[in-house]
Amino acid sequence: MEDIFKNTQVAFALKSDTELERAYFLFKMIANEPLVRIGTAVTNFALKAHLPVEGLIRATVFDHFCGGVNEQDCLKVVDKMFTKGVSSVLDFSVEGKEEEEQFEAATSMIIKTITFGKEKEAIPFAVFKPTGVGRFILFEKISAAETLTDGEQKEWNRVEARFDLICKAAYDADVSLLIDAEESWMQKAADDLVLKMMRKYNHVKAIVFNTLQMYRWDRYEYLKVIREIANDEGFYIGIKLVRGAYLEKENKRALKHNYRSPICKSKEETDENFNTTAAYLFENRENIAAFFGTHNEQSCLLLVALMKQKAISANDSSVWFGQLYGMSDNISYNLAEQGYNVAKYLPFGPVKDVMPYLIRRAEENTSVAGQTSRELQLINQERERRKR
Ligand SMILES: Cc1cc2nc3c(=O)[nH]c(=O)nc-3n(C[C@H](O)[C@H](O)[C@H](O)COP(=O)(O)OP(=O)(O)OC[C@H]3O[C@@H](n4cnc5c(N)ncnc54)[C@H](O)[C@@H]3O)c2cc1C
């Protein structure tokens, strides 16, 4: 198993030579930090000034990391990936909205992606971000046990209603639903709401999945608590396990407000926390389904080894691996080739609206040590192989 992630022929089988060259060029650019900074500023300015840059963005970074501007647009990519056994999670990646109208529109769009999943085997999951359907500040206030004004309480009731509408749609369509985790200071309100939804919709199987960020040292304990509740009340738990995406922000805020950071002291501690929790998820498989969102090869190898050790078959419907579209194809396609369940997050939305997502991907690939060089090295290896 050790070397399967180095098989670039399988990893890039769906990429034409031109697409491979584009990916090479893109990751070369992204590796250059000043270029990413300048590029981000120029692109933001150009979009605000309504300069005709959308075509350029689409032809480069957008098409590499996104499925399209709308859900229909994504179907070509969905079908293509599925020919190699890789499924899709349509991710409406419009972020940072603050108005009721926008939350209502996002709710309708998420339900649309669920309906798509009902009709297509290649789309087994839907996904949404809690703050995509309600204001961040509301989640934050509730998490801090602050009293809401009457107006805010009514607003929160609407957020709850949206959660319920989305989860019910997933339940009716029999499509599993991943709910992303965000900053720790808004997460308690989201956790409580997701638990409520699990109680309501997970009595036959895990439809609703919460996300645990294992860079937080308190999440393993939290999992044990909700498992007790699920055992007592007789419902299933769905867990998406990730390391966590807001590390710097979390540590900075904790320092600023002088409280203990919710983040593990080191990367090694996070890794250990991730591994221990993964083992716990497998041990309690009778009522827990797991989706592992990671680009870490070692983690994936460990998960595969654990599955073998516990005699869990590769295609067991309660275990999934997930990566982001445009990244770590060597993991996704090689795992799928070996018969494991793999689904890639496929972001979509109008070019202007998914810019924050694209900028994060560019910055992450600049800052995460090793990530870009690994992508570049693999792409290069495949270019060389094809030349031969
Ligand atoms: C399908 C999918 C879904 C995702 N959904 C979410 C989500 O809902 N919410 C969310 O927050 N993130 C989400 N992520 C992002 C994820 O949390 C990670 O940021 C990202 O995947 C990198 O972690 P890794 O396991 O892939 O790789 P690695 O490169 O092994 O790990 C990097 C991660 O380790 C942790 N880390 C790094 N340095 C330190 C340190 N000094 N101390 C402690 N910890 C450290 C950080 O979490 C960092 O992101 C998702 C990722 C994927 C692939």
Side-chain angles (χ1 to χ4, degrees):
M1 191 74 192
E2 189 55 44
D3 274 332
I4 68 158
F5 297 141
K6 295 197 169 53
N7 186 335
T8 58
Q9 187 172 6
V10 169
F12 300 114
L14 292 179
K15 284 216 187 305
S16 66
D17 290 348
T18 317
E19 284 165 337
L20 197 67
E21 285 308 312
R22 187 187 65 190
Y24 181 70
F25 171 75
L26 196 68
F27 278 103
K28 268 253 183 234
M29 303 269 282
I30 284 175
N32 185 326
E33 204 176 332
L35 203 64
V36 168
R37 239 181 308 120
I38 296 164
T40 303
V42 171
T43 311
N44 279 337
F45 169 79
L47 283 170
K48 274 200 192 114
H50 300 290
L51 297 177
V53 289
E54 281 204 17
L56 182 67
I57 299 170
R58 272 215 77 155
T60 53
V61 65
F62 183 92
D63 278 352
H64 184 85
F65 289 111
C66 298
V69 292
N70 56 43
E71 69 290 357
Q72 281 292 343
D73 233 11
C74 291
L75 288 182
K76 250 194 302 180
V77 180
V78 170
D79 289 338
K80 198 171 161 189
M81 290 205 290
F82 202 56
T83 60
K84 299 289 176 194
V86 173
S87 300
S88 299
V89 185
L90 294 187
D91 181 12
F92 182 54
S93 294
V94 173
E95 298 175 16
K97 302 291 182 194
E98 288 285 305
E99 279 152 34
E100 291 292 286
E101 228 173 69
Q102 295 164 329
F103 296 140
E104 290 297 328
T107 304
S108 305
M109 182 53 87
I110 296 155
I111 291 174
K112 221 173 187 182
T113 63
I114 292 171
T115 316
F116 261 59
K118 184 180 173 184
E119 287 154 10
K120 268 202 168 292
E121 197 193 343
I123 310 177
F125 290 91
V127 65
F128 77 99
K129 263 195 167 47
T131 59
V133 299
R135 285 192 304 140
F136 186 99
I137 187 77
L138 267 191
F139 283 93
E140 184 177 357
K141 276 191 159 181
I142 293 167
S143 297
E146 279 181 39
T147 314
L148 300 184
T149 63
D150 282 352
E152 285 171 339
Q153 186 56 55
K154 284 195 186 115
E155 195 183 332
W156 181 250
N157 294 346
R158 288 195 294 274
V159 177
E160 278 209 44
R162 287 182 202 122
F163 260 70
D164 196 47
L165 210 60
I166 295 169
C167 293
K168 182 170 186 311
Y171 176 81
D172 289 342
D174 195 20
V175 171
S176 296
L177 178 66
L178 306 168
I179 304 181
D180 283 349
E182 304 180 65
E183 290 87 341
S184 60
W185 57 98
M186 58 66 67
Q187 191 59 43
K188 184 173 183 315
D191 284 344
D192 291 349
L193 208 43
V194 180
L195 187 61
K196 214 169 174 176
M197 297 297 126
M198 284 200 209
R199 273 196 175 101
K200 196 162 169 188
Y201 296 110
N202 284 7
H203 44 85
V204 180
K205 65 176 193 179
I207 288 283
V208 178
F209 283 58
N210 201 359
T211 300
L212 297 184
Q213 300 152 310
M214 299 322 293
Y215 65 10
R216 284 183 58 173
W217 46 260
D218 63 348
R219 297 287 80 185
Y220 182 39
E221 288 309 314
Y222 174 71
L223 173 61
K224 288 197 228 166
V225 170
I226 59 170
R227 181 170 175 269
E228 282 291 307
I229 299 173
N231 275 359
D232 289 349
E233 297 178 22
F235 62 89
Y236 291 81
I237 293 183
I239 294 291
K240 167 155 65 87
L241 202 72
V242 300
R243 283 187 169 77
Y246 307 92
L247 179 92
E248 283 169 26
K249 225 173 163 184
E250 290 283 354
N251 282 331
K252 238 189 225 163
R253 187 175 190 269
L255 199 67
K256 185 171 169 203
H257 297 289
N258 197 25
Y259 60 86
R260 179 181 172 194
S261 170
I263 305 299
C264 292
K265 284 206 186 72
S266 64
K267 171 75 163 69
E268 290 68 34
E269 253 182 54
T270 297
D271 291 346
E272 214 177 295
N273 204 19
F274 186 95
N275 295 346
T276 314
T277 310
Y280 181 88
L281 293 175
F282 285 137
E283 272 152 30
N284 295 287
R285 231 165 34 89
E286 71 280 2
N287 61 352
I288 305 186
F291 183 108
F292 298 98
T294 179
H295 294 154
N296 183 310
E297 290 177 8
Q298 290 311 314
S299 288
C300 293
L301 289 173
L302 176 89
L303 294 167
V304 163
L306 280 173
M307 285 174 76
K308 287 197 171 136
Q309 202 184 73
K310 300 205 177 301
I312 302 169
S313 62
N315 66 350
D316 188 299
S317 63
S318 70
V319 183
W320 283 80
F321 292 82
Q323 288 78 42
L324 306 182
Y325 182 69
M327 289 171 75
S328 295
D329 282 348
N330 64 317
I331 297 182
S332 313
Y333 287 94
N334 282 303
L335 279 176
E337 160 121 327
Q338 306 265 327
Y340 291 91
N341 295 319
V342 180
K344 281 180 100 85
Y345 266 37
L346 187 60
F348 70 94
V351 174
K352 209 164 101 205
D353 291 336
V354 300
M355 272 320 285
Y357 175 87
L358 290 175
I359 290 166
R360 263 215 315 286
R361 289 291 79 80
E363 285 173 352
E364 176 184 283
N365 278 286
T366 300
S367 63
V368 175
Q371 176 74 39
T372 304
S373 58
R374 192 183 72 188
E375 296 283 357
L376 261 180
Q377 192 207 327
L378 290 162
I379 295 167
N380 214 12
Q381 187 184 319
E382 177 61 6
R383 288 166 82 223
E384 295 299 322
R385 195 196 63 80
R386 288 188 190 184
K387 273 186 211 151
R388 283 199 301 275

